[in-house]
Amino acid sequence: MKHKLAAVGFCCADVYEKLGKFYPTGNGVDWGVHLARMGLDVSVVSVVGTDDYGEKMKQALSAEGIDISHLRTEAGDTCKMMMDLKNGTDRVHLEEIEGVMADYALTKEEFDFVAGHTMLHTDLFGKVLHHLPAWKAAGVQIVMDFSVFSEDPEYHCEELFPYVDYAFLSYDGKKDEHIQQWIKTIQSYGPKLVVATMGELGGICFDGNTIYEYDIVPAEVVNTVGAGDSFIAGCTYGLLNGWDIPACLASGAKLASSVVSKFEPY
């Protein structure tokens, strides 16, 4: 079976004006670039503006072999995250310019396009969350990045968990009883797999039966931006290929290690 993957919702340009660099990004975009480089069919379904960044983002993603037929262009500014470096290496977010992402809403045709995919990736900020039940009912496997917000009552994540197949979250803590119980609670809502990533501590995963732990692959850290997205991509690749859970987690850790050792997010 030929898998078709869609990164749906939020995208932006990370702009380093002082360095003269920019990268098409967003959690799903980073995930999609990695998987496209692994040979999978990937689409990005989102919106860019009519500024130079919009066209450059389309060109860059197309050059990665990604289907941009549903990366819509609307009048206005592309969503941008203005970035800087502190002490030469530490990334600093200066300002978000939401631009055309502010009023983004899927059309019926775009919804149907996504529904024809094997799997989609989204996050809390892509303005597509109300579509998850229908995509789930259509048989699309849903990968979702909850970042650090899975326990934040503002985001009502418990309403989303039943429609997610593979839930990923970031946890700023140790592999303690709290996080072990929390991933079990999330999994009880319906996800096949819940993974909590913990930076240099590795992470843990629960499939309904067993808690698995994984460690990072050591690397000289240049940049941690994109580490989580690359981990999810590596893990996804294993899941799509039917690997066992330890192999999927190891794949994610290996890819994340390769990303933190370079400046680029993928």
Side-chain angles (χ1 to χ4, degrees):
M1 177 182 177
K2 183 69 171 177
H3 297 297
K4 294 174 60 180
L5 314 180
V8 187
F10 182 79
C11 76
C12 70
D14 274 3
V15 180
Y16 296 82
E17 286 189 314
K18 293 179 182 177
L19 301 178
K21 294 178 179 289
F22 101 97
Y23 301 97
T25 189
N27 295 343
V29 171
D30 292 359
W31 173 87
V33 170
H34 284 298
L35 289 163
R37 290 178 177 179
M38 295 177 189
L40 285 102
D41 289 344
V42 177
S43 304
V44 170
V45 182
S46 188
V47 63
V48 296
T50 47
D51 56 359
D52 286 344
Y53 286 111
E55 183 57 34
K56 289 177 180 177
M57 284 183 67
K58 285 193 164 188
Q59 291 174 0
L61 294 175
S62 182
E64 294 284 354
I66 290 174
D67 178 355
I68 60 167
S69 63
H70 290 73
L71 180 55
R72 192 196 315 163
T73 300
E74 291 188 351
D77 289 327
T78 298
C79 181
K80 294 184 283 292
M81 193 69 72
M82 308 307 293
M83 307 287 290
D84 201 357
L85 294 179
K86 181 181 179 181
N87 301 323
T89 57
D90 297 334
R91 309 274 170 136
V92 180
H93 293 80
L94 300 177
E95 177 190 10
E96 180 183 1
I97 300 169
E98 195 169 13
V100 293
M101 276 301 312
D103 298 314
Y104 178 60
L106 285 184
T107 65
K108 176 64 166 58
E109 192 276 333
E110 289 166 342
F111 169 86
D112 290 341
F113 176 73
V114 173
H117 286 70
T118 309
M119 176 182 283
L120 70 84
H121 175 296
T122 195
D123 56 42
L124 291 168
F125 307 105
K127 304 181 187 294
V128 299
L129 298 179
H130 56 293
H131 294 298
L132 294 184
W135 280 326
K136 175 86 169 177
V140 184
Q141 298 179 62
I142 296 173
V143 175
M144 188 154 172
D145 183 356
F146 290 90
S147 185
V148 298
F149 304 107
S150 67
E151 297 180 85
D152 190 330
E154 178 182 351
Y155 294 96
H156 305 286
C157 293
E158 70 280 357
E159 298 176 8
L160 303 173
F161 295 146
Y163 306 108
V164 174
D165 292 283
Y166 303 104
F168 292 84
L169 60 107
S170 299
Y171 181 68
D172 186 15
K174 298 180 179 179
K175 299 173 183 178
D176 55 21
E177 179 63 29
H178 172 75
I179 189 59
Q180 292 188 35
Q181 186 55 52
W182 181 231
I183 63 173
K184 288 180 179 179
T185 298
I186 295 174
Q187 197 278 332
S188 73
Y189 282 91
K192 300 172 186 175
L193 209 64
V194 183
V195 182
T197 62
M198 304 176 193
E200 64 182 13
L201 298 179
I204 60 174
C205 167
F206 185 61
D207 67 349
N209 295 304
T210 305
I211 287 185
Y212 300 85
E213 297 189 16
Y214 73 90
D215 296 318
I216 64 168
V217 175
E220 181 178 352
V221 177
V222 174
N223 161 41
T224 58
V225 172
D229 302 329
S230 57
F231 175 85
I232 297 173
C235 194
T236 298
Y237 185 78
L239 291 168
L240 289 169
N241 282 283
W243 299 352
D244 64 23
I245 291 173
C248 292
L249 298 174
S251 174
K254 181 179 180 180
L255 188 56
S257 176
S258 73
V259 167
V260 299
S261 63
K262 60 184 178 181
F263 185 88
E264 295 78 13
Y266 38 70

